[in-house]
Amino acid sequence: MAGSSTVWAGVNYRQGNIAEAVNLLERAVGLEPEDPTITEHLGDVYWAVGRRIEAHYQWRRALTLNPAADGAVKLEAKIKSHPFGTVASGK
């Protein structure tokens, strides 16, 4: 079930339905709380909607769930390059 939620979350995100992507990924994390990939993606959509603290929490949690993952270095860089005070802007 979590797999289909993440697929639909991606579709909604790409179509600009960010709020629905958030809902689907929150559901997916509830179903698969130990999945670092889903957790990281939830952090990504939280960042996209301005939920900075929650984004950082999810990214750090994803890193904790699998610190030896191939993407761990990239995730650490994401955390460092997205400070709490940064505001997303299309400008």
Side-chain angles (χ1 to χ4, degrees):
M1 174 80 173
S4 63
S5 291
T6 59
V7 170
W8 283 112
V11 169
N12 277 279
Y13 183 84
R14 286 187 293 283
Q15 292 178 346
N17 301 322
I18 309 300
E20 183 60 19
V22 169
N23 290 333
L24 290 166
L25 283 167
E26 287 175 338
R27 185 177 326 154
V29 166
L31 294 170
E32 299 284 343
E34 301 301 313
D35 187 310
T37 302
I38 297 171
T39 301
E40 179 182 357
H41 292 320
L42 179 57
D44 295 341
V45 297
Y46 279 163
W47 186 267
V49 296
R51 294 167 66 175
R52 306 291 189 239
I53 294 171
E54 292 162 294
H56 270 258
Y57 173 82
Q58 294 301 330
W59 291 335
R60 290 182 189 282
R61 188 167 174 277
L63 195 56
T64 301
L65 290 170
N66 193 359
D70 291 339
V73 171
K74 181 180 168 187
L75 184 51
E76 287 173 351
K78 183 190 299 187
I79 292 167
K80 290 178 183 175
S81 69
H82 290 78
F84 291 117
T86 303
V87 177
S89 173
K91 297 178 184 177

